[in-house]
């Protein structure tokens, strides 16, 4: 097997080994090796999903029944389209609107925008394409990393807060919000905003999420139809399906 410039092969355990190449850094080689040996990557390819992330949504759906009966869905940070595919599979007649900075290969039955969610007109475009309030808003967005852990964390948390802010204007009362978050502090503002706006808020790490990664998912269900900043009723539940991120 030849990958890039370096010859590669399989170890006795059947794992693909990638030799370092002059133009590839050690960390890229490690990433490539992990990618090639990742059972979720192989399963995604076999199932025709565009991303291994598709399995994260499938696992979250199994646990929280997110996709049952939904008719309108927004996918923030949708490229390359794995989550859209999963929603379409479950609800072929649903109105699905995806948006991403990156271009996405068309998916029949899905409205896709190549756009920054932070653009002034993004929300209006999504609303118009949805044709009504959403049952589910999903965000798998992650900011492009700059290599400085704290900066990367803050940028991604900022994106997630923007996603939540938008979700509170797109969702119908009773609707759900699922978003990727990062462990490591700085998310208490987000969690308290979620607790104000939704009946239940849970942090989970689906099995398809790599163990070494700091990503978690927040699943907020039962949108109260309140604008952010409204006083929180005392009966709010804050259950964690697993321990919350550090
Ligand atoms: N759930 C997707 C799937 O299954 O195919 C994978 C999403 S990928 C992990 C995260 C995406 O968030 C990237 O494609 C990135 O371009 C997008 N993203 C990051 N910042 C964004 C922004 N400001 N507006 C729109 N998309 C953004």
């Amino acid at each position: 097997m030849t990958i890039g410039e370096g010859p590669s092969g399989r170890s006795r355990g059947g794992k693909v080994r990638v030799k370092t190449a002059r133009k590839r850094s050690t960390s890229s080689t490690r990433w490539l090796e992990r990618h090639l040996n990742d059972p979720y990557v192989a399963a995604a390819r076999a199932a025709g999903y565009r991303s291994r992330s598709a399995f994260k949504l499938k696992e979250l759906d199994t646990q929280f029944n997110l996709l049952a009966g939904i008719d309108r869905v927004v996918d923030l940070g949708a490229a390359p389209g794995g989550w859209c595919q999963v929603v379409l599979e479950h609800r072929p007649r649903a109105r699905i609107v995806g948006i991403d900075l990156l271009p996405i290969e068309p998916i029949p039955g899905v409205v896709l925008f190549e756009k920054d969610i932070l653009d002034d007109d993004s929300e209006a475009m999504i609303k118009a394409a949805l044709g009504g309030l959403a049952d589910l808003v999903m965000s798998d967005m992650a900011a492009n990393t700059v290599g400085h852990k704290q900066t990367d964390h803050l940028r991604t948390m900022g994106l997630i807060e923007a996603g939540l802010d938008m979700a509170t204007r797109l969702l119908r009362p009773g609707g759900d919000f699922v978003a990727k978050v990062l462990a490591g502090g700085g998310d208490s503002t987000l969690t308290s905003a979620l607790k104000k706006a939704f009946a239940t808020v849970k942090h989970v790490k689906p099995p398809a999420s790599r163990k070494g990664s700091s990503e978690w998912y927040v699943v907020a269900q039962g949108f109260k139809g309140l604008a952010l900043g409204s006083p929180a009723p005392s009966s709010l539940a804050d259950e964690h399906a697993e321990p919350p991120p550090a």
Side-chain angles (χ1 to χ4, degrees):
M1 185 170 186
T2 305
I3 297 158
E5 292 177 61
S8 308
R10 282 182 187 274
S11 70
R12 280 208 187 148
K15 284 199 164 185
V16 178
R17 302 279 291 276
V18 180
K19 287 197 173 174
T20 48
R22 233 175 299 140
K23 285 187 193 153
R24 197 168 45 227
S25 66
T26 314
S27 63
S28 306
T29 302
R30 231 181 287 128
W31 180 89
L32 190 55
E33 206 160 66
R34 199 179 57 200
H35 184 78
L36 291 170
N37 290 305
D38 185 337
Y40 283 103
V41 171
R45 200 175 299 130
Y49 293 132
R50 297 177 180 188
S51 66
R52 73 187 291 295
S53 295
F55 291 103
K56 298 177 196 169
L57 181 61
K58 284 170 87 77
E59 289 165 357
L60 290 169
D61 177 48
T62 302
Q63 200 174 347
F64 296 100
N65 215 18
L66 293 168
L67 305 180
I70 55 173
D71 292 322
R72 290 192 180 87
V73 185
V74 178
D75 187 357
L76 305 173
W83 281 23
C84 288
Q85 289 179 296
V86 171
V87 175
L88 196 63
E89 204 175 79
H90 277 71
R91 299 290 294 170
R93 298 167 76 97
R95 171 58 63 119
I96 306 166
V97 181
I99 178 168
D100 202 290
L101 292 169
L102 302 174
I104 305 174
E105 281 289 309
I107 303 173
V110 179
V111 179
L112 296 167
F113 296 115
E114 182 182 341
K115 220 171 153 39
D116 191 330
I117 70 139
L118 303 174
D119 287 351
D120 287 344
D121 54 347
S122 289
E123 190 175 313
M125 286 171 73
I126 294 170
K127 264 187 185 150
L130 263 185
L133 292 173
D135 302 295
L136 173 67
V137 175
M138 322 183 286
S139 163
D140 198 19
M141 287 186 295
N144 288 331
T145 53
V146 294
H148 183 261
K149 210 174 165 190
Q150 240 174 338
T151 308
D152 290 340
H153 183 86
L154 287 174
R155 281 158 50 102
T156 290
M157 293 313 289
L159 259 186
I160 295 158
E161 278 171 28
L164 169 62
D165 193 40
M166 195 184 275
T168 60
R169 290 185 298 273
L170 294 175
L171 278 174
R172 67 162 170 80
D176 296 344
F177 176 64
V178 57
K180 173 154 65 194
V181 295
L182 299 179
D187 63 351
S188 57
T189 316
L190 175 76
T191 305
S192 59
L194 283 164
K195 285 198 235 169
K196 277 184 193 165
F198 293 86
T200 63
V201 178
K202 296 181 183 182
H203 286 87
V204 287
K205 189 160 175 81
S209 175
R210 289 193 174 100
K211 285 199 175 63
S213 87
S214 60
E215 77 175 18
W216 279 68
Y217 284 83
V218 67
V219 178
Q221 296 188 282
F223 178 54
K224 291 172 178 293
L226 303 170
L228 285 177
S230 306
S234 54
S235 62
L236 283 178
D238 177 22
E239 303 160 38
H240 288 278
E242 291 183 41

